[in-house]
Amino acid sequence: ISPYTKTNKPVQVAEQSSEILELPIDELTALIGEDELNVTNEETAWELALRWIGREPETRKVHIVELMRNIRLGLMDTYYFLENVKNHHYVAGNEACRPIVIETLKFLYDPEMIKQKDGELEIATPRVPHDILFAIGGWQGVSAVDLIETYDTRADRWVKVEQIDPLGPRGYHGMAVIGYKIYVIGGLNGVEFFNSCRCFNPVRKTWREVAPMNAKRAYVSVALLNDIIYAMGGYDGYFRQNSAERYDYRRNQWSLIAPMHMQRSDASATALNGKIYITGGFNGRECMSSAEVYDPDTNQWTMIAHMRLRRSGVSCIAYHGLVYALGGFNGVSRMCCGEKYNPETNTWTAIPDMYNSRSNFAIEIIDDMIFAIGGFNGFSTTFHVECFSDSTNEWYEATDMNTYRSGLAACVVKVLPNVHDYTHKHRERLMEEKRQKLLDIEALQRAGSAPQQQNHVAISRSSHNSLGHHRQQQR
């Protein structure tokens, strides 16, 4: 495997150094063709190829066909492919590129091609992700669960993980990642409210106990700032709390910080611009719309503008300089609406609704999209997953988890050295799975027992840029 695949994104390397642009064609095609190439999407691989050709265009443009054959063109956004690949002068002026363009267009536009193509479609085989989302624990029915699943963003598949916590399940906890280590904070198991904290190492696949918090905290809010874990509020079985504390992993020690202005359980917290924001929650009497911010430099909490709606069981996260607060319970029903906070103007504004109403769900950012995972919809626990991109201001469906649960927590571990242990196996079979699904749909339609789905079928192209594009077409 090339040294560029594991730790560096090739276009970034090309911008910082001319080394990658000096590779001979056989090394570059091998690099671009590797499953482990560390690119967020295939557009990045294409731009790398163009930069390489641009170094010596007259002598290198003849290699465009070799490069195109090693890029997963079927995973590209359709509009991008049309505007930036098909119509590029290196491609449009080269007759040898025509069969590749035709094959890609058929794949992007014609589901019949997938139904007729038996076996692997190399133009759509997803690469291996370098960031892995972990969803741990939660609540299912009347009890806590010890389930762990990881999400493979490239394959759009959830993977069950066997290394569950030997000390048993917990739900309504918080999580944070430092390096490769996942810290699981507080929560409850249906019998006991926890101040205990656990640490899972996904590289060594081991669990260990770390120092307990000063207070028991289920329905706790957790955020990470400068490798310090903050745990705020929560419920100890008797009282909703306004106390807060922080954990220094270097010393394995928790220390109390200034208490919040409000008692909050079932709130949610995130870090942005060197400060901790906490939103909503339940104070023992009512669902809350208030929010506050903590400055670690002054050890002070400050109230900020109230959210537009009351939200208990809310999930919030920092995304592109704003604080997003999603879903939750307003005292009457679970909500699908969300809003975002601008610290510069101290104002909240609405964002598009999620497709699913939910409270007590996990939230994370991966591939530059916000993911809402699981939760409770007011009637039942769910395994539905959806993602939001502010570039399109749209929500898109992602593949459901294998198991339904609420009160779970999620985190992202970056550049795992053993990433293959947490990704979908048999990636080459993914398009065959899609083909079989299409054939099954067609058979049902012929039998008259399924609705017609001729305009578009539920096909994920297995990268989030294209996943979002194709999910949008479905809607």
Side-chain angles (χ1 to χ4, degrees):
I1 295 175
S2 162
Y4 297 115
T5 59
K6 284 295 183 185
T7 57
N8 300 299
K9 294 187 177 181
V11 168
Q12 293 175 345
V13 174
E15 290 170 350
Q16 296 166 4
S17 165
S18 61
E19 180 186 355
I20 197 169
L21 302 180
E22 301 300 333
L23 290 175
I25 182 59
D26 56 338
E27 290 187 27
L28 184 67
T29 53
L31 170 66
I32 289 178
E34 285 179 356
D35 285 343
E36 290 82 6
L37 182 66
N38 191 2
V39 290
T40 301
N41 52 49
E42 293 304 310
E43 290 84 339
T44 304
W46 171 249
E47 289 160 12
L48 170 60
L50 293 182
R51 293 176 69 85
W52 182 85
I53 293 173
R55 190 79 164 181
E56 299 174 16
E58 292 308 311
T59 58
R60 290 182 173 184
K61 64 183 180 181
V62 296
H63 297 299
I64 190 67
V65 174
E66 299 165 72
L67 293 167
M68 288 178 72
R69 284 178 179 148
N70 284 277
I71 296 172
R72 320 291 166 94
L73 299 173
L75 300 181
M76 282 187 175
D77 176 270
T78 303
Y79 181 81
Y80 183 94
F81 176 79
L82 292 173
E83 293 297 313
N84 298 285
V85 181
K86 175 180 176 290
N87 293 335
H88 195 281
H89 60 274
Y90 291 157
V91 176
N94 190 331
E95 189 65 25
C97 295
R98 185 175 174 81
I100 302 174
V101 170
I102 291 172
E103 180 188 33
T104 304
L105 288 173
K106 282 183 177 179
F107 175 79
L108 291 172
Y109 281 106
D110 184 10
E112 290 297 320
M113 175 188 177
I114 302 172
K115 286 191 282 188
Q116 296 165 10
K117 186 86 171 180
D118 190 358
E120 181 180 356
L121 269 171
E122 292 184 0
I123 64 169
T125 301
R127 300 188 193 268
V128 175
H130 287 253
D131 299 340
I132 296 293
L133 188 153
F134 284 75
I136 297 180
W139 203 263
Q140 190 180 88
V142 296
S143 60
V145 294
D146 54 8
L147 301 167
I148 302 177
E149 294 183 60
T150 55
Y151 181 62
D152 180 334
T153 60
R154 300 295 180 266
D156 188 28
R157 290 291 186 275
W158 288 89
V159 178
K160 291 183 179 180
V161 176
E162 300 298 326
Q163 287 76 27
I164 60 175
D165 188 345
L167 291 194
R170 66 176 71 200
Y172 300 101
H173 52 285
M175 286 205 317
V177 172
I178 301 176
Y180 295 138
K181 295 175 182 176
I182 300 172
Y183 292 84
V184 181
I185 313 297
L188 75 161
N189 63 4
V191 176
E192 182 181 359
F193 290 77
F194 294 128
N195 65 345
S196 63
C197 302
R198 304 283 289 164
C199 180
F200 176 60
N201 185 326
V203 178
R204 297 180 179 177
K205 301 181 181 179
T206 56
W207 286 89
R208 65 184 176 91
E209 191 90 0
V210 297
M213 294 181 288
N214 291 286
K216 295 180 177 182
R217 302 180 190 274
Y219 308 96
V220 62
S221 300
V222 169
L224 180 73
L225 178 61
N226 298 328
D227 284 347
I228 299 292
I229 299 172
Y230 290 78
M232 293 144 284
Y235 182 56
D236 64 4
Y238 300 97
F239 303 104
R240 270 80 190 180
Q241 301 180 60
N242 67 344
S243 65
E245 51 190 303
R246 61 186 175 193
Y247 175 75
D248 185 339
Y249 78 95
R250 301 170 188 87
R251 298 179 179 179
N252 189 31
Q253 184 175 13
W254 287 92
S255 55
L256 290 168
I257 62 173
M260 298 180 290
H261 291 285
M262 303 289 185
Q263 295 170 298
R264 300 177 190 273
S265 68
D266 241 357
S268 185
T270 190
L272 175 65
N273 298 333
K275 297 179 180 180
I276 302 290
Y277 290 81
I278 190 165
T279 59
F282 182 66
N283 63 10
R285 299 177 302 278
E286 59 183 358
C287 301
M288 305 166 69
S289 62
S290 65
E292 44 192 307
V293 60
Y294 175 75
D295 186 338
D297 293 335
T298 62
N299 190 32
Q300 287 186 329
W301 289 93
T302 304
M303 300 301 297
I304 61 174
H306 281 236
M307 293 183 291
R308 301 167 71 250
L309 296 170
R310 299 173 184 269
R311 301 179 187 273
S312 177
V314 62
S315 289
C316 82
I317 197 159
Y319 180 54
H320 293 174
L322 305 174
V323 174
Y324 283 69
L326 309 175
F329 179 59
N330 62 7
V332 178
S333 60
R334 269 72 190 177
M335 299 182 292
C336 59
C337 60
E339 50 191 300
K340 59 186 178 182
Y341 174 77
N342 186 334
E344 294 184 2
T345 60
N346 191 32
T347 55
W348 292 90
T349 54
I351 66 166
D353 290 353
M354 296 183 285
Y355 290 116
N356 300 281
S357 299
R358 58 178 95 212
S359 67
N360 301 104
F361 59 99
I363 192 168
E364 250 300 353
I365 291 174
I366 192 167
D367 278 2
D368 202 31
M369 302 178 83
I370 299 175
F371 276 74
I373 305 157
F376 183 69
N377 63 16
F379 303 98
S380 61
T381 305
T382 181
F383 48 37
H384 296 315
V385 181
E386 52 191 300
C387 48
F388 176 80
S389 170
D390 68 349
S391 64
T392 60
N393 204 34
E394 292 270 1
W395 285 95
Y396 307 108
E397 289 179 323
T399 293
D400 296 336
M401 288 188 294
N402 293 301
T403 52
Y404 60 90
R405 44 191 163 138
S406 64
L408 71 165
C411 62
V412 172
V413 183
K414 296 180 177 296
V415 199
L416 269 173
N418 57 332
V419 68
H420 286 274
D421 294 342
Y422 300 102
T423 55
H424 181 72
K425 305 300 185 287
H426 308 299
R427 312 177 79 74
E428 72 284 354
R429 298 180 189 171
L430 283 167
M431 290 316 303
E432 177 61 16
E433 291 176 19
K434 304 292 190 298
R435 189 179 81 91
Q436 290 297 332
K437 192 173 291 185
L438 285 171
L439 291 173
D440 290 344
I441 291 171
E442 186 176 62
L444 288 169
Q445 288 174 349
R446 285 175 180 165
S449 57
Q452 294 295 308
Q453 300 185 22
Q454 306 216 343
N455 291 334
H456 194 81
V457 291
I459 299 174
S460 163
R461 303 303 190 193
S462 305
S463 77
H464 273 307
N465 188 31
S466 54
L467 179 146
H469 170 72
H470 289 280
R471 295 296 188 186
Q472 187 176 16
Q473 288 186 4
Q474 291 175 48
R475 292 290 178 182

